[in-house]
Amino acid sequence: MDEEPERAKRWEGGYERTWEVLKEDESGSLRASVEEILYQAKRKRVMETHGQVRLGMMRHLYVVIDCSRSMEDQDLKPNRLSSTLKLMEAFVDEYFYQNPISQVIKPVCFCETGNPKKHVAALRKAVDTVCAGEPSLYNALSLAVHTLKHMPGHTSREVLIVLSSLTTCDPSNIYELIKTLKSLKVRVSVIGLSAEVRVCTVLTRETGGFYHVILDESHFKELLMLHVKPPPASASSECSLIRMGFPQHCVASLSDQDAKPSFSMSQLDGDSPGLSLSGYFCPQCHAKYTELPVECKVCGLTLVSAPHLARSFHHLFPLQAFTESPVEQHTDRSCQGCQGRLKDRSVFSCPSCFSSFCMDCDLFIHDSLHCCPCCIHGPSVS
Amino acid sequence: MKLNIDGLLVWFPYDFIYPEQFSYMLELKRTLDAKGHGVLEMPSGTGKTISLLSLIVAYQRAFPLEVTKLIYCSRTVPEIEKVVEELRRLMEFYAKETGESNNFLSLALSSRKNLCIHPEVSSLRFGKEVDGKCHSLTASYVRAQRHSNPNLPTCRFYEEFDAVGRQVPLPAGIYNLDDLKDFGRRKGWCPYYLARYAILHANIVVYSYHYLLDPKIADLVSKELAKNSVVVFDEAHNIDNVCIDSMSVNITRRTLDRCQTNVDTLQNTIQKIKETDAAKLKAEYRRLVEGLKEANVARETDVYLANPVLPDEILREAVPGTIRTAEHFVGFLRRFLEYLKSRLRVHHVVQESAPQFLKDIFDKVCIDRKPLRFCAERLQSLLRTLEIADIADFSSVTLISNFATLVSTYSQGFTLIIEPFEDRTPTIANPVLHFSCMDPSIAIKPVFQRFQSVIITSGTLSPLDVYPKILDFRPVTMASFTMTLARTCLCPLIVGRGNDQVALSSKFETREDFAVIRNYGNLLLEMSAVVPDGIVAFFTSYVYMENIVASWYEQGILENIQRNKLIFIETPDAAETSMALEKYQEACENGRGAILLSVARGKVSEGIDFVHHFGRAVIMFGVPYVYTQSRILKARLEYLRDQFQIRENDFLTFDAMRHAAQCVGRAIRGKTDYGLMIFADKRYARADKRGKLPRWIQEHISDGSLNLTVDESVQRSKHFLRQMAQPFRQEDQLGLSLLTLEQLQSEETLKRIAQIAHQT
């Protein structure tokens, strides 16, 4: 959305020759054609995600961030690593916002909780990592396999790799490992920071993941956000009823004589110890936790709060895709979402209330709101 | 889909067509209509082969009397196989669409080595051995001897073919080499002779250049092909060199020594025969008196390395008396041999024309021109009479006699150079006599004269007007086609300076310059960090590559490169190179990434395709000029200037640029492919060099991509590679670079297509 101003700020862009980019735009060659293709891809993404498919709502996502020499490259500012980690923070937040009952596992931190704060903290720490040495896809993947292997069958097993290097030094044949991944139904997606690498193409194609290469930071962010949405569950994954606990938050006032400060069980992971009065108590074993969602350390029960489940709910009843039509057909030339003029070639209208939106609002509604603002607004008007 | 090409109905076996294919077919149709020759350039990967095949097959069906046969010449066996597979696809499409099986017979022909099914013979490793062994089993006199002595070994496949194979024509269909072998095994017929016989009535023949261009082979195989055939030379950018090679002879000291042994053997055999069967020699003598014409009527299996182009009138003359008897002829050979030996004993370089040589030989050893001319024929006749089974041993004496005939037949277009040592090792005596052809039109002239249409086509033929000049023919169409692209998938960059502003060039003066070598290394290092998977780097020669790589090693550049990618090197040794290639591909496949260092004009630059990830970038270090100090080249340049008014520099640049184009063209093998083309020499930026690149490369070189520094080119490459890595589907191409039938019929598209062909 705000791509243009961001690009304009790139005065330190060295040899990027912005004047040539402009020229190419005009003649409609390289950049224009590629952008056209990208526009189509954006559109396609919206269309695709709205089939009636079963989505895997409980996800186990294993994020691997390449920390090899090439991450020091400065084509993303200030360098690839910092930029990646910054975007990753946003990704983790967004991920847990939309998928509260899922897990992220990161090789840098290895925390099993679904707690976003810890990941963010771990990411901040990683900024200081010195990038050196050769990366190995094989080692990263086999590490991921070892962990994901034990995840229950009803959850999805995913690996997301942010790969900057163009080479991988593997101790063994990676194609064997790809076969293993395939048989374990692990989806591997890769985001490349420099260029298309063959082995990643094969890897993602075989395991059913996505492979994307970034153009710039904003595109990188877009690609990361793609992975927030849960993937369709494979037909063969088991269905099972899952026991969940909904602990209440108990607040004890200091004046209460019976209340005694106690430790939280999450302290076992080595989190900052602290005595507190309030917390969530597991309905099964009464272990205390300060934050949700979490898996109980004592009895293994998944503890969530009702709003968490509700947030996952929209995946089950996604908003219908809007219909696309050329701009000429519309008399009203303003978007119902942002109230701006409709500039694009096509307009998107909601199939139930027929209000029209521009491309960006369409994306926003489907990606973030998950409901049509006019439909909600509508009944009260009529 | 069904196309209407200028009124001709063409069946095209794909649902989509590239606009340039359509345009190509239009030009081709015009050429065939005019019954003339054509030069057509179209980038590789745009479906040249299928366009050619579908148009010509359609033409053959529409006008069966005007075009009876298509002769498709390709370079290597894998390429031949590819053509046959395309053809099979086309024919299946025909059968499916029209519902009738057509009676087209198409087949591939290759050497005995690739076609033999005899259990012992086919297990031999070298082509020459197979030929020799086959000959010893199937020659007419060997078979005649077998009548008296049935215990002699025989080839049952040939016997079977000879007995019945000729009466029953090969059923219509498409035969590649394996199909022929299968068919031969089933019937028990020799596939090689079957194929050679079948090409006479086949509609489409696919075989190697040499069957038409090399006069020694052409005489045997392609002699009886119909005049109203269409001949296509695919990948023909090197056709002049093939012509020249097929007419040139190199004689070393070793050849002469072996020849000496051959002559001794001949003498002994003659002695033996004289004691046992004097009548035979007498009969031969009589035959020779009657003239060569009759001697020439031999069975097709009596294949010695046959004579170079002998004008017909010579064949009708009688063999001169001086060499008519066997002993005299052997004596004559001996004399000739001694003379050659004495010539090779020189200590300085000699260059002379054919008439000068003839005069000298007459003065010194009294050998006349006339008997020399008959030398090749006479030797054949002798070998036949002596019933020598294994001709492979006699290759040296055959070579000498071929030389004798050539030198006395052609006074123009050839030069004779005797070098006492190689330029690089002036102390080691290694005398070589080069009798080299300088005029490629001599070998190809019969082809142009005999067949009604000859099409020369390749991905890189620019500048087009040079080929008609050096091959001496007048084309009716000359056209160059560009590649229509939905996205700019090739990115030519001319890197002229290093980061320290040192001019990059491989020219002779700066060849040893440390700064240039370092900057070249830097370029490769930087590129290895930003280009994924495979990079192919070409150098101008093996020597240059060795120097540079050694220097990089000392400077530690190689070590740094190896952190990003593995390094493989092409060597003159074929086995080593194919091993390196295999490992290179493996490294590209599993993500380690690799760099192949190879040489322009080498095996890699000519025949190996680097599709997709096998070649994401090609770096051309320097301008691949041919080694200009060679005397043969100098003589050829002189000849070109005198005869065709082509200036030396023009020809050298043309030759260098066509090889450079070949090299960089290795990376792009289709429209979904993409690759960087990096020309690392500042001379490429000059208009005379740039203007000689094919149009499909030239039009992507903008003024901004000339004379870049290493850093600039790295930035551009990064940008380009990211753009290209974005998802790209077939729908994106539709309408722009890929057309359906409906799109093809619209006015606008037709207008656009008209612009694709670039007439010269």
Side-chain angles (χ1 to χ4, degrees):
Chain A
M1 271 163 267
D2 49 1
E3 258 178 54
E4 285 317 309
E6 220 179 298
R7 233 176 245 149
K9 255 186 276 170
R10 295 268 197 90
W11 56 80
E12 17 175 13
Y15 287 119
E16 269 168 38
R17 288 172 172 259
T18 40
W19 59 93
E20 273 184 12
V21 171
L22 278 175
K23 200 183 80 193
E24 276 171 341
D25 256 335
E26 225 166 73
S27 66
S29 66
L30 186 74
R31 176 166 286 264
S33 61
V34 171
E35 249 162 31
E36 166 67 24
I37 292 169
L38 275 183
Y39 171 83
Q40 291 298 339
K42 245 191 215 172
R43 189 68 209 127
K44 201 179 137 216
R45 207 177 77 215
V46 175
M47 302 298 284
E48 254 179 14
T49 45
H50 295 97
Q52 275 297 330
V53 283
R54 208 159 60 112
L55 298 170
M57 285 188 6
M58 291 193 76
R59 303 170 65 187
H60 283 102
L61 180 69
Y62 200 104
V63 179
V64 180
I65 298 176
D66 178 5
C67 283
S68 66
R69 210 157 15 94
S70 56
M71 279 304 260
E72 310 232 289
D73 201 319
Q74 301 192 339
D75 54 358
L76 301 177
K77 306 298 174 206
N79 67 10
R80 283 185 184 176
L81 184 69
S82 323
S83 175
T84 308
L85 293 176
K86 205 176 75 202
L87 288 171
M88 213 40 142
E89 275 176 33
F91 170 73
V92 169
D93 281 341
E94 182 73 7
Y95 179 84
F96 282 109
Y97 182 72
Q98 291 207 23
N99 307 286
I101 53 174
S102 304
Q103 308 280 326
V104 174
I105 311 152
K106 197 168 306 186
V108 251
C109 54
F110 272 113
C111 35
E112 285 269 339
T113 60
N115 192 325
K117 275 187 200 155
K118 270 186 194 169
H119 290 298
V120 173
L123 283 169
R124 294 232 167 92
K125 229 188 293 166
V127 175
D128 303 329
T129 326
V130 181
C131 298
E134 320 290 335
S136 169
L137 261 186
Y138 186 92
N139 289 346
L141 284 174
S142 56
L143 200 62
V145 165
H146 275 298
T147 320
L148 290 178
K149 212 161 41 179
H150 307 295
M151 296 302 153
H154 58 83
T155 62
S156 75
R157 299 162 177 172
E158 294 167 66
V159 180
L160 173 65
I161 303 176
V162 178
L163 190 68
S164 151
S165 170
L166 294 171
T167 170
T168 153
C169 295
D170 299 334
S172 169
N173 188 358
I174 194 159
Y175 286 89
E176 297 293 319
L177 188 65
I178 291 177
K179 264 184 219 151
T180 323
L181 286 168
K182 206 177 164 187
S183 64
L184 286 172
K185 301 204 181 56
V186 178
R187 286 163 56 104
V188 185
S189 298
V190 181
I191 296 182
L193 298 190
S194 24
E196 181 188 0
V197 181
R198 173 67 179 183
V199 71
C200 297
T201 318
V202 177
L203 173 68
T204 51
R205 196 181 55 212
E206 291 294 311
T207 58
F210 297 107
Y211 183 33
H212 296 287
V213 176
I214 64 158
L215 286 172
D216 48 24
E217 273 110 337
S218 49
H219 188 222
F220 186 13
K221 193 172 167 193
E222 230 164 73
L223 292 179
L224 265 180
M225 291 314 158
L226 258 185
H227 293 278
V228 168
K229 205 151 269 171
S234 55
S236 55
S237 73
E238 335 163 2
C239 306
S240 53
L241 290 173
I242 300 158
R243 270 172 77 94
M244 283 191 180
F246 295 87
Q248 265 188 337
H249 192 225
C250 305
V251 191
S253 62
L254 277 171
S255 56
D256 195 343
Q257 290 295 310
D258 294 337
K260 292 179 186 72
S262 58
F263 291 106
S264 151
M265 287 306 280
S266 57
Q267 190 197 324
L268 290 176
D269 293 336
D271 280 13
S272 55
L275 291 166
S276 62
L277 286 171
S278 58
Y280 300 94
F281 292 91
C282 172
Q284 201 160 263
C285 63
H286 292 286
K288 182 178 135 178
Y289 295 94
T290 45
E291 270 161 340
L292 292 182
V294 75
E295 191 174 325
C296 181
K297 294 275 178 226
V298 181
C299 57
L301 190 66
T302 309
L303 303 178
V304 290
S305 67
H308 285 140
L309 264 192
R311 262 188 269 148
S312 293
F313 187 69
H314 72 79
H315 293 308
L316 295 179
F317 299 99
L319 184 61
Q320 273 178 299
F322 290 176
T323 47
E324 186 177 356
S325 51
V327 75
E328 289 79 26
Q329 289 180 9
H330 291 260
T331 45
D332 183 16
R333 287 289 176 88
S334 69
C335 165
Q336 295 289 324
C338 57
Q339 304 299 328
R341 273 182 60 80
L342 293 166
K343 296 188 296 276
D344 294 335
R345 279 170 299 140
S346 41
V347 172
F348 304 89
S349 42
C350 172
S352 51
C353 70
F354 303 107
S355 31
S356 43
F357 297 95
C358 64
M359 169 85 185
D360 289 326
C361 284
D362 176 36
L363 281 177
F364 177 68
I365 289 168
H366 281 98
D367 288 348
S368 311
L369 288 184
H370 305 294
C371 58
C372 169
C374 295
C375 290
I376 295 175
H377 199 55
S380 63
V381 173
S382 59
Chain B
M1 66 171 126
K2 270 199 303 196
L3 301 172
N4 174 6
I5 308 274
D6 201 7
L8 178 74
L9 175 70
V10 174
W11 298 85
F12 192 75
Y14 295 91
D15 293 334
F16 303 103
I17 185 169
Y18 295 142
E20 54 270 35
Q21 285 181 317
F22 190 80
S23 177
Y24 187 89
M25 287 199 249
L26 276 176
E27 285 298 325
L28 193 58
K29 164 92 172 20
R30 256 173 239 159
T31 319
L32 296 187
D33 281 341
K35 292 194 175 30
H37 312 311
V39 181
L40 302 173
E41 178 186 54
M42 186 155 93
S44 44
T46 50
K48 227 175 359 221
T49 309
I50 192 64
S51 320
L52 268 168
L53 290 175
S54 35
L55 186 99
I56 296 179
V57 167
Y59 205 92
Q60 269 179 302
R61 286 168 60 97
F63 310 102
L65 294 177
E66 312 228 326
V67 172
T68 50
K69 197 190 286 286
L70 164 64
I71 305 172
Y72 195 104
C73 301
S74 205
R75 281 186 313 184
T76 56
V77 174
E79 273 169 23
I80 289 173
E81 298 274 353
K82 245 193 283 178
V83 175
V84 177
E85 285 322 303
E86 287 278 17
L87 193 60
R88 195 189 303 279
R89 199 187 158 112
L90 177 66
M91 288 306 175
E92 272 164 16
F93 183 71
Y94 261 106
K96 205 179 87 197
E97 291 293 315
T98 54
E100 59 191 62
S101 62
N102 49 32
N103 45 1
F104 259 61
L105 173 63
S106 334
L107 68 137
L109 173 66
S110 183
S111 63
R112 287 186 179 85
K113 184 177 170 291
N114 296 322
L115 276 176
C116 185
I117 52 172
H118 189 278
E120 282 165 40
V121 181
S122 58
S123 62
L124 293 170
R125 276 185 61 218
F126 297 106
K128 262 203 176 127
E129 286 175 356
V130 176
D131 288 351
K133 187 82 181 163
C134 176
H135 183 259
S136 69
L137 290 176
T138 58
S140 55
Y141 50 78
V142 177
R143 298 174 60 223
Q145 277 173 13
R146 203 171 298 124
H147 285 300
S148 50
N149 181 5
N151 295 332
L152 284 172
T154 116
C155 173
R156 65 188 166 87
F157 298 105
Y158 182 75
E159 296 302 327
E160 192 69 24
F161 167 73
D162 199 48
V164 284
R166 268 178 252 268
Q167 280 83 36
V168 195
L170 193 61
I174 320 283
Y175 297 87
N176 65 16
L177 301 180
D178 284 333
D179 295 338
L180 281 171
K181 274 168 143 174
D182 282 346
F183 185 80
R185 278 203 196 94
R186 246 189 353 256
K187 293 267 187 182
W189 296 349
C190 172
Y192 174 73
Y193 284 101
L194 177 68
R196 261 181 60 181
Y197 177 72
I199 60 170
L200 297 180
H201 56 263
N203 300 81
I204 299 174
V205 183
V206 186
Y207 59 28
S208 150
Y209 279 16
H210 298 280
Y211 288 108
L212 265 188
L213 291 182
D214 193 334
K216 300 164 217 132
I217 313 174
D219 211 37
L220 289 166
V221 179
S222 313
K223 206 172 186 178
E224 291 167 51
L225 296 182
K227 191 183 166 335
N228 45 4
S229 308
V230 175
V231 179
V232 174
F233 288 105
D234 197 3
E235 301 292 330
H237 47 269
N238 259 348
I239 195 167
D240 53 327
N241 292 338
V242 177
C243 293
I244 284 178
D245 287 346
S246 68
M247 296 290 278
S248 298
V249 181
N250 292 331
I251 297 171
T252 60
R253 180 74 59 72
R254 243 176 96 210
T255 326
L256 291 182
D257 290 343
R258 274 212 217 113
C259 189
Q260 185 74 50
T261 340
N262 288 166
V263 173
D264 291 342
T265 327
L266 279 180
Q267 177 125 39
N268 293 341
T269 328
I270 290 171
Q271 279 305 325
K272 234 181 277 163
I273 289 207
K274 215 169 182 186
E275 284 154 22
T276 55
D277 195 1
K280 207 184 235 169
L281 285 176
K282 282 208 187 99
E284 187 205 13
Y285 183 86
R286 267 202 308 281
R287 241 189 3 250
L288 293 176
V289 175
E290 282 160 21
L292 269 174
K293 193 74 183 166
E294 276 75 12
N296 203 33
V297 183
R299 303 278 176 76
E300 59 170 342
T301 51
D302 295 340
V303 184
Y304 299 93
L305 280 174
N307 67 318
V309 237
L310 266 184
D312 262 356
E313 60 269 27
I314 299 187
L315 285 178
R316 259 174 244 117
E317 280 180 58
V319 173
T322 44
I323 56 170
R324 225 175 273 165
T325 63
E327 289 111 323
H328 288 170
F329 180 61
V330 171
F332 170 87
L333 275 181
R334 238 177 238 286
R335 223 158 63 228
F336 185 57
L337 206 56
E338 284 308 318
Y339 172 74
L340 287 181
K341 275 187 187 163
S342 76
R343 290 302 304 263
L344 279 188
R345 248 173 252 134
V346 288
H347 292 291
H348 57 276
V349 179
V350 179
Q351 177 173 0
E352 59 188 24
S353 65
Q356 273 173 319
F357 178 83
L358 289 178
K359 184 169 181 312
D360 192 59
I361 197 170
F362 184 71
D363 290 346
K364 294 234 174 79
V365 285
C366 295
I367 290 185
D368 212 358
R369 184 175 168 198
K370 202 171 174 199
L372 271 181
R373 261 177 118 168
F374 284 91
C375 208
E377 279 301 314
R378 181 65 189 90
L379 179 72
Q380 269 192 60
S381 160
L382 182 67
L383 289 177
R384 213 158 28 216
T385 318
L386 299 183
E387 300 182 354
I388 288 165
D390 200 355
I391 52 158
D393 292 347
F394 284 85
S395 58
S396 306
V397 72
T398 322
L399 189 74
I400 299 285
S401 66
N402 278 341
F403 163 65
T405 308
L406 279 173
V407 77
S408 51
T409 312
Y410 295 101
S411 53
Q412 279 281 313
F414 284 81
T415 189
L416 187 115
I417 296 169
I418 304 173
E419 285 181 313
F421 44 75
E422 276 180 49
D423 273 346
R424 272 174 228 134
T425 52
T427 45
I428 304 163
N430 180 23
V432 185
L433 186 151
H434 302 281
F435 183 66
S436 82
C437 173
M438 294 182 300
D439 189 354
S441 64
I442 292 176
I444 206 170
K445 194 177 227 152
V447 179
F448 280 124
Q449 277 176 352
R450 185 143 127 241
F451 298 108
Q452 71 176 30
S453 281
V454 177
I455 313 290
I456 291 185
T457 186
S458 172
T460 52
L461 281 176
S462 293
L464 292 180
D465 51 338
V466 172
Y467 286 89
K469 257 193 207 166
I470 57 177
L471 297 180
D472 195 21
F473 71 104
R474 204 155 290 140
V476 292
T477 45
M478 277 205 282
S480 167
F481 304 86
T482 53
M483 180 147 55
T484 52
L485 293 170
R487 55 168 194 179
T488 325
C489 70
L490 68 167
C491 177
L493 300 173
I494 297 176
V495 183
R497 293 166 293 151
N499 287 337
D500 47 5
Q501 303 299 324
V502 171
L504 290 181
S505 176
S506 70
K507 68 178 177 215
F508 192 70
E509 297 82 55
T510 62
R511 205 160 258 208
E512 308 289 319
D513 192 342
F514 216 60
V516 172
I517 294 178
R518 193 190 55 233
N519 272 314
Y520 272 154
N522 200 20
L523 173 66
L524 188 62
L525 175 61
E526 301 261 325
M527 281 299 161
S528 72
V530 298
V531 177
D533 299 327
I535 298 180
V536 192
F538 288 100
F539 293 86
T540 51
S541 67
Y542 282 113
V543 187
Y544 189 51
M545 176 164 79
E546 274 163 30
N547 284 342
I548 283 198
V549 172
S551 176
W552 283 349
Y553 176 73
E554 282 160 16
Q555 297 175 25
I557 293 176
L558 281 193
E559 203 183 327
N560 284 331
I561 292 175
Q562 265 177 325
R563 282 211 234 144
N564 297 328
K565 294 195 188 305
L566 301 179
I567 299 175
F568 298 93
I569 297 187
E570 181 192 5
T571 62
D573 184 90
E576 249 174 49
T577 305
S578 59
M579 181 74 172
L581 260 174
E582 201 178 295
K583 292 291 163 199
Y584 168 81
Q585 289 178 338
E586 201 182 313
C588 293
E589 197 69 56
N590 62 27
R592 180 65 178 93
I595 295 178
L596 183 66
L597 303 178
S598 45
V599 170
R601 297 161 198 278
K603 180 176 168 247
V604 171
S605 74
E606 278 295 324
I608 315 288
D609 289 350
F610 295 97
V611 281
H612 295 291
H613 58 289
F614 293 129
R616 282 293 179 224
V618 179
I619 307 178
M620 184 77 233
F621 289 112
V623 184
Y625 278 117
V626 66
Y627 175 61
T628 43
Q629 298 306 305
S630 134
R631 289 190 182 75
I632 300 175
L633 180 75
K634 278 184 179 159
R636 188 169 170 210
L637 289 177
E638 211 169 285
Y639 184 82
L640 283 173
R641 191 189 53 212
D642 295 347
Q643 298 293 317
F644 301 116
Q645 284 79 47
I646 299 173
R647 276 181 302 158
E648 285 101 328
N649 235 333
D650 281 352
F651 182 77
L652 286 176
T653 315
F654 152 75
D655 187 63
M657 292 317 282
R658 72 171 161 181
H659 279 103
Q662 260 310 298
C663 291
V664 296
R666 297 285 109 199
I668 309 271
R669 308 312 287 178
K671 291 192 173 184
T672 52
D673 205 351
Y674 64 88
L676 285 159
M677 301 174 163
I678 297 170
F679 298 92
D681 194 308
K682 72 168 194 296
R683 288 175 289 174
Y684 283 110
R686 289 191 204 147
D688 67 318
K689 307 276 187 310
R690 201 150 43 101
K692 288 193 168 70
L693 284 173
R695 205 162 75 102
W696 58 275
I697 297 180
Q698 237 185 86
E699 66 181 10
H700 292 287
I701 304 181
S702 61
D703 284 342
S705 52
L706 302 176
N707 206 13
L708 301 172
T709 67
V710 172
D711 267 355
E712 284 167 334
S713 57
V714 166
Q715 289 298 336
R716 288 193 147 231
S717 318
K718 263 189 187 171
H719 186 72
F720 171 76
L721 287 168
R722 282 200 179 136
Q723 295 268 358
M724 286 302 118
Q726 302 311 316
F728 183 63
R729 296 175 314 274
Q730 198 188 35
E731 301 93 76
D732 301 327
Q733 283 195 46
L734 265 179
L736 273 172
S737 57
L738 198 63
L739 302 176
T740 58
L741 191 55
E742 294 85 60
Q743 283 166 333
L744 193 58
Q745 280 154 351
S746 77
E747 272 306 305
E748 194 194 346
T749 325
L750 289 176
K751 215 183 286 165
R752 217 151 46 81
I753 286 175
Q755 290 168 0
I756 291 169
H758 179 76
Q759 306 277 347
T760 40

